[in-house]
Amino acid sequence: MKLFGTDGVRGLAGKELGPFVAMKLAMAAGIYFRKTAKTNKILVGKDTRRSGYMLENALVSGLTAVGYNVIQIGPMPTPAVAFLTEDMRCDAGIMISASHNPFEDNGIKFFDAHGNKLGEEAERAIESIYFDDNTVMGERKTGRAIGSSKRIDDVIGRYIVHLKNSFPTDITLSGLRVVLDTANGAAYKVAPTVFEELGAEVIVINNKPNGYNINDKCGAMHPEGLAEKVREYRADIGFAFDGDADRLVVVDETGRQVDGDKLIGALALYLKEQGKLANDCVVATVMSNQGFEEFLKSHGIRLIRSNVGDKYVLEQMRKTNCILGGEQSGHVIFGEYAKTGDGLVTALQTIALVIRSGKKASEVLDPFPLYPQRLLNLQVSEKKPLEKIDGYEETMTKIKKEGLRPLIRYSGTENKLRILLEGKNKKKVDRWIEELEKFFKKALS
């Protein structure tokens, strides 16, 4: 059986991901991390979901049961947990969040002592321990060996200082009007504080979490509300975060949402012009637009593609010594300041780019045209290997001869086949996406 998906362990809180699963998972993780333990401390953070209380207590029980001391920091962004795990010299960090999912879901993400998301090998090792009842039960501690737990409420200051240090010291946000949508999530305190301290006039929306309203018609998944406020207040720019603030959506002064590939492209050129783009390369996923790749190439920047998921982006960044990587969805990693997607770091770098350009956001964040692209998700009963589907290879060959780029893959967390088709000719893209839908519905029925 498999616990981990694309980004940690995720499921319906109270059912697929209930207190018993969380406690046993914490015990298994604690046993795994103890092999390289140095401080015997594990940090635990969460977003604003009501189920976070249940899972947090279960995790603490599991970790202390195998002898770990736990530091609880309450609601904080996922990238803050990654940063603080290393900054506070913990053996590991755990974030309780289902990111952009609705409040009914929740998830558990793990970070190593350096604030890096765990690789697949580490996840398999934890799964192996989880399903080995003898090992889990045999590692329970008694007496003085049982761990302790304490809550620290002032770590937000450390993260705020870290964020401000990522912003150029020779400019301020004075005179800028910024709208922030914190999705009633983990950034509801941090984001307004950082932008206000840097001098911006800040309008904040969706910053009153009640345990149920995280991502509810707001934030990065629903930026239309942010766009409306940007226009209403005649703001210079708007930023929407998701529930755990590792994702960012940018809205320019006209209320137009900035495409994720265009955002990364503009930031890549900005870093290159400053002489800060190591190896003149950027990492993005196989989902990124061909127009993005051609734009980078025209400026002497190489695009390296990874599998979908920010942990795979980071893996490629390490291998190729790239300092910038990301996904269309808004997960952007600035290797100089973060080891996972950080919406706040990205927002600060974006507004620094706009200020230094001397242009409006709508001008500087629209640097190239995109190729027409269609994405289709098909529900499937089983994930039959693509290469074993009759006619699959022949169909892919035909599509490529038409000058189109197909990307067919199964979801890592759902029973869905994801079909992406891209090309310069929109009519061809539209025609072939319909053909592919018919083909796979018949082949996988």
Side-chain angles (χ1 to χ4, degrees):
M1 294 179 67
K2 188 170 174 59
L3 284 173
F4 287 87
T6 304
D7 194 16
V9 179
R10 193 174 293 187
L12 181 63
K15 288 200 171 182
E16 292 98 343
L17 188 57
F20 300 112
V21 171
M23 184 173 68
K24 190 177 179 184
L25 181 60
M27 294 174 76
I31 294 166
Y32 171 79
F33 288 120
R34 185 170 296 287
K35 295 174 183 177
T36 55
K38 292 183 179 179
T39 64
N40 202 48
K41 297 186 298 183
I42 289 183
L43 185 111
V44 176
K46 61 182 179 179
D47 64 21
T48 57
R49 293 163 213 269
R50 175 62 66 92
S51 58
Y53 293 102
M54 170 186 70
L55 296 176
E56 181 182 29
N57 288 328
L59 287 170
V60 171
S61 293
L63 292 169
T64 55
V66 295
Y68 255 110
N69 298 325
V70 183
I71 298 173
Q72 297 168 258
I73 62 171
M76 287 286 281
T78 288
V81 171
F83 165 73
L84 291 166
T85 295
E86 182 175 38
D87 189 62
M88 297 180 72
R89 308 298 189 270
C90 295
D91 289 335
I94 301 175
M95 178 64 182
I96 305 165
S97 175
S99 193
H100 58 277
N101 285 28
F103 90 90
E104 294 93 344
D105 294 335
N106 217 325
I108 300 172
K109 309 177 188 183
F110 294 93
F111 299 90
D112 67 18
H114 302 291
N116 297 312
K117 284 187 177 179
L118 297 189
E120 292 182 349
E121 185 178 340
E123 290 177 346
R124 284 195 297 268
I126 292 174
E127 283 181 351
S128 178
I129 297 169
Y130 178 94
F131 291 112
D132 184 350
D133 288 342
N134 290 333
T135 297
V136 172
M137 300 302 282
E139 290 292 327
R140 290 175 299 170
K141 306 301 180 185
T142 60
R144 293 178 183 270
I146 294 173
S148 65
S149 175
K150 64 178 179 180
R151 185 175 295 275
I152 302 178
D153 296 320
D154 61 354
V155 294
I156 188 172
R158 293 191 189 209
Y159 183 53
I160 288 172
V161 169
H162 166 67
L163 289 170
K164 289 167 68 177
N165 285 340
S166 74
F167 191 74
T169 56
D170 60 328
I171 58 177
T172 74
L173 301 184
S174 179
L176 289 178
R177 182 176 293 169
V178 180
V179 182
L180 303 177
D181 183 344
T182 63
N184 295 311
Y188 79 102
K189 287 183 180 178
V190 176
T193 302
V194 170
F195 278 86
E196 286 168 0
E197 289 188 5
L198 288 172
E201 178 188 348
V202 180
I203 296 103
V204 192
I205 60 175
N206 300 310
N207 64 329
K208 293 179 173 57
N210 60 15
Y212 310 113
N213 59 2
I214 186 171
N215 300 317
D216 185 14
K217 298 181 179 63
C218 61
M221 299 304 292
H222 299 277
E224 56 274 10
L226 173 66
E228 182 181 330
K229 290 297 180 184
V230 166
R231 289 190 292 266
E232 178 184 342
Y233 287 99
R234 297 181 181 178
D236 296 288
I237 199 165
F239 297 113
F241 306 94
D242 66 345
D244 66 338
D246 65 351
R247 178 185 295 200
L248 175 75
V249 167
V250 181
V251 169
D252 68 25
E253 83 284 354
T254 71
R256 180 184 61 87
Q257 181 180 333
V258 177
D259 176 82
D261 281 339
K262 290 186 178 184
L263 176 64
I264 299 171
L267 289 166
L269 184 57
Y270 167 63
L271 291 177
K272 181 177 172 66
E273 290 174 343
Q274 290 186 309
K276 293 183 177 180
L277 191 66
N279 282 347
D280 286 338
C281 65
V282 171
V283 176
T285 74
V286 290
M287 301 285 286
S288 282
N289 197 280
Q290 192 68 23
F292 170 49
E293 184 168 4
E294 290 188 359
F295 168 77
L296 293 178
K297 187 177 180 180
S298 71
H299 290 281
I301 301 171
R302 180 167 53 109
L303 177 64
I304 299 166
R305 294 186 183 267
S306 75
N307 290 332
V308 177
D310 63 344
K311 68 179 180 182
Y312 299 114
V313 172
L314 184 59
E315 185 179 288
Q316 281 295 329
M317 287 173 66
R318 288 202 201 100
K319 286 179 180 177
T320 55
N321 196 29
C322 288
I323 66 160
L324 179 65
E327 301 181 274
Q328 286 174 309
S329 60
H331 287 111
V332 182
I333 303 171
F334 282 86
E336 186 177 354
Y337 309 114
K339 296 176 181 177
T340 186
D342 191 325
L344 278 157
V345 166
T346 305
L348 291 174
Q349 293 302 310
T350 300
I351 205 165
L353 157 63
V354 172
I355 292 169
R356 284 218 162 108
S357 72
K359 300 176 182 178
K360 293 182 178 180
S362 59
E363 298 173 279
V364 73
L365 300 179
D366 188 20
F368 59 88
L370 296 168
Y371 278 21
Q373 195 178 71
R374 289 281 302 274
L375 179 64
L376 178 68
N377 292 314
L378 290 181
Q379 195 74 33
V380 296
S381 56
E382 67 168 320
K383 296 180 180 180
K384 186 176 181 180
L386 295 175
E387 65 276 8
K388 292 186 178 180
I389 296 175
D390 289 341
Y392 174 77
E393 295 295 345
E394 293 86 344
T395 302
M396 293 302 106
T397 299
K398 285 181 184 178
I399 289 173
K400 290 172 184 176
K401 283 183 178 179
E402 292 273 5
L404 305 176
R405 184 175 76 95
L407 177 63
I408 319 293
R409 66 184 185 90
Y410 289 109
S411 166
T413 56
E414 302 173 274
N415 284 333
K416 288 183 178 179
L417 179 70
R418 304 200 189 282
I419 303 170
L420 174 74
L421 198 58
E422 176 185 275
K424 286 184 177 180
N425 188 311
K426 186 177 183 302
K427 288 183 179 179
K428 285 185 180 181
V429 171
D430 291 339
R431 176 169 62 84
W432 272 102
I433 201 76
E434 292 178 6
E435 291 296 323
L436 284 173
E437 183 176 13
K438 293 175 187 175
F439 174 78
F440 282 112
K441 277 186 175 180
K442 182 179 180 181
L444 297 172
S445 61

